[in-house]
Amino acid sequence: MNALAATSRNFKQAAKLLGLDSKLEKSLLIPFREIKVECTIPKDDGTLASYVGFRVQHDNARGPMKGGIRYHHEVDPDEVNALAQLMTWKTAVANIPYGGAKGGIGCSPGDLSISELERLTRVFTQKIHDLIGIHTDVPAPDMGTNSQTMAWILDEYSKFHGYSPAVVTGKPVDLGGSLGRDAATGRGVLFATEALLAEHGKGIAGQRFVIQGFGNVGSWAAQLISEAGGKVIAISDVTGAIKNVNGLDIAKLVKHSAENKGIKGFNGGDAIDPNSLLTEECDVLIPAALGGVINKDNANDIKAKYIIEAANHPTDPEADEILSKKGVLILPDILANSGGVTVSYFEWVQNIQGFMWDEEKVNAELRTYMTRAFGDVKKMCQSHNCDLRMGAFTLGVNRVARATVLRGWEA
């Protein structure tokens, strides 16, 4: 099931549990605005190349729309739509004053030079500058983009509107980026995991973790979990998978991965088949890579007691049903990986105030937000007698629906 179908299905279930008016339900599902622009740039060799850029602005009932921009050859309107909708619910669950958006350009960033990427980013910004803004829509980095991309967008946008650091988040610290933003999603995963384990009288220390994915989120989650006393026994990335039942040395692995562009060949563990990683014996499984990796084919073989969804949409709805029958607790993506957007919100706040925080304050505030969001989700689970995923969706959808009605939505 693709991301759009799964997200819509979860939304509809939540709307049913909440007893939403059918007209309001339909209105919440339809995006506020969909933008499609043509971006033509001169390549380094003098030829012209055209790319299609998208921005889907899903909902602004609770505040400016917020969401990443991805550069990927498979960027399509359906995926961008699903992710924009997911951002609406995610920001509501985290209880930060934003709506949801998502954007992207259909290109292969690896095939473009730095100067080509800069030209493409600037042309895209020229085409959408009057549709984004500090109080309208605030982009951020995503797959294939980074703080440098945000710096270019900020510069291009500022040519039209004056210096506006709050127009994007995930910027370099030198241009008003927030301290702690780099580790934010991984740190949020740690705080969310702590909150879930505490419910069951456990802590991070002594638990065995398996992490799929060793990019920004997976590597930070692994480092922070291991610092907190957790034992990370297996990890995979695109180059391969490794396992050490006594726990991997994460600091050494981070260094190895940076030097060798992946974890393959690391001598502090045994190489295993990456396909078997998800079914390794462990207490907590953290999928932090791609969507749809836990499906009906492997759900029966999963041995973890807890799954923390650090990736977007890693669990198919069919797998969800199988796992809940087995008693596996899943902390859904719209709560588990909301650390990134929460610290993006802190960055935006700092930019608007023109007053920057130290990293300690950023991390302390993030812990408060993640722990509170988990508590709010648990309350919804009790009210509606549902699992954590539906608890999170009912919480998010309910907050957006209430804001929509309060603002004067006419049924």
Side-chain angles (χ1 to χ4, degrees), residues 252-262:
K252 279 188 183 158
L253 182 60
V254 169
K255 191 167 179 278
H256 172 92
S257 175
E259 286 166 2
N260 300 279
K261 293 194 166 49

Side-chain angles (χ1 to χ4, degrees), residues 228-385:
K231 197 190 279 188
V232 182
I233 57 166
I235 285 180
S236 71
D237 69 0
V238 288
T239 63
I242 45 166
K243 177 183 177 180
N244 182 338
V245 286
N246 300 316
L248 294 157
D249 184 329
I250 303 298
K252 279 188 183 158
L253 182 60
V254 169
K255 191 167 179 278
H256 172 92
S257 175
E259 286 166 2
N260 300 279
K261 293 194 166 49
I263 63 173
K264 192 178 181 180
F266 181 65
N267 60 11
D270 304 317
I272 56 168
D273 176 5
N275 297 322
S276 72
L277 182 99
L278 295 168
T279 57
E280 286 291 332
E281 188 83 47
C282 66
D283 301 306
V284 183
L285 172 63
I286 304 181
L290 298 167
V293 291
I294 299 174
N295 47 46
K296 61 177 190 296
D297 302 330
N298 60 10
N300 274 313
D301 304 323
I302 285 177
K303 301 177 187 74
K305 302 177 188 74
Y306 306 98
I307 295 174
I308 313 289
E309 294 187 337
N312 280 325
H313 179 58
T315 315
D316 265 0
E318 293 111 323
D320 243 352
E321 285 168 27
I322 296 168
L323 291 163
S324 70
K325 281 185 188 133
K326 286 176 63 172
V328 178
L329 284 179
I330 302 175
L331 197 65
D333 50 1
I334 61 170
L335 171 59
N337 67 24
S338 63
V341 71
T342 303
V343 175
S344 273
Y345 163 59
F346 300 160
E347 181 179 329
W348 180 74
V349 166
Q350 293 169 73
N351 293 154
I352 287 173
Q353 291 185 328
F355 180 77
M356 305 310 282
W357 304 352
D358 60 27
E359 194 166 344
E360 230 171 294
K361 179 173 166 70
V362 173
N363 294 343
E365 289 287 340
L366 176 59
R367 180 188 285 276
T368 303
Y369 272 77
M370 294 299 296
T371 313
R372 188 170 57 205
F374 179 78
D376 292 346
V377 168
K378 283 299 292 185
K379 279 183 201 142
M380 289 305 264
C381 293
Q382 285 151 6
S383 307
H384 296 286
N385 190 21

Side-chain angles (χ1 to χ4, degrees), residues 23-200:
K23 293 192 205 72
L24 177 59
E25 180 184 333
K26 191 176 175 190
S27 151
L28 289 178
L29 213 46
I30 298 169
F32 168 78
R33 185 192 281 140
E34 293 187 34
I35 303 148
K36 184 178 175 185
V37 293
E38 172 246 1
C39 304
T40 300
I41 58 160
K43 300 275 292 242
D44 291 345
D45 62 6
T47 59
L48 287 180
S50 285
Y51 303 91
V52 179
F54 300 98
R55 186 77 178 161
V56 173
Q57 298 175 330
H58 181 257
D59 191 279
N60 62 356
R62 299 181 68 257
M65 294 164 285
K66 183 92 192 81
I69 289 180
R70 50 178 54 187
Y71 288 3
H72 193 263
H73 58 92
E74 283 176 355
V75 165
D76 71 10
D78 255 12
E79 182 194 40
V80 175
N81 217 315
L83 293 167
Q85 190 198 132
L86 212 50
M87 282 302 293
T88 298
W89 318 133
K90 187 185 291 185
T91 51
V93 169
N95 208 10
I96 51 182
Y98 283 143
K102 206 71 172 189
I105 298 177
C107 67
S108 299
D111 299 345
L112 298 171
S113 70
I114 294 288
S115 57
E116 287 167 344
L117 280 170
E118 179 174 352
R119 287 196 287 277
L120 180 58
T121 304
R122 288 182 183 277
V123 168
F124 183 53
T125 309
Q126 287 164 17
K127 296 283 173 94
I128 66 166
H129 77 88
D130 52 346
L131 298 167
I132 60 173
I134 297 167
H135 302 296
T136 316
D137 177 5
V138 182
D142 200 308
M143 199 189 291
T145 57
N146 55 23
S147 59
Q148 179 60 70
T149 321
M150 296 306 109
W152 292 328
I153 295 176
L154 163 62
D155 183 67
E156 199 60 34
Y157 181 86
S158 296
K159 289 175 185 173
F160 296 95
H161 303 273
Y163 183 59
S164 317
V167 73
V168 285
T169 59
K171 299 180 292 294
V173 173
D174 295 343
L175 288 176
S178 178
L179 295 170
R181 175 66 188 87
D182 194 35
T185 311
R187 196 177 294 278
V189 168
L190 169 78
F191 294 154
T193 308
E194 280 179 343
L196 179 65
L197 292 174
E199 274 281 307
H200 299 89

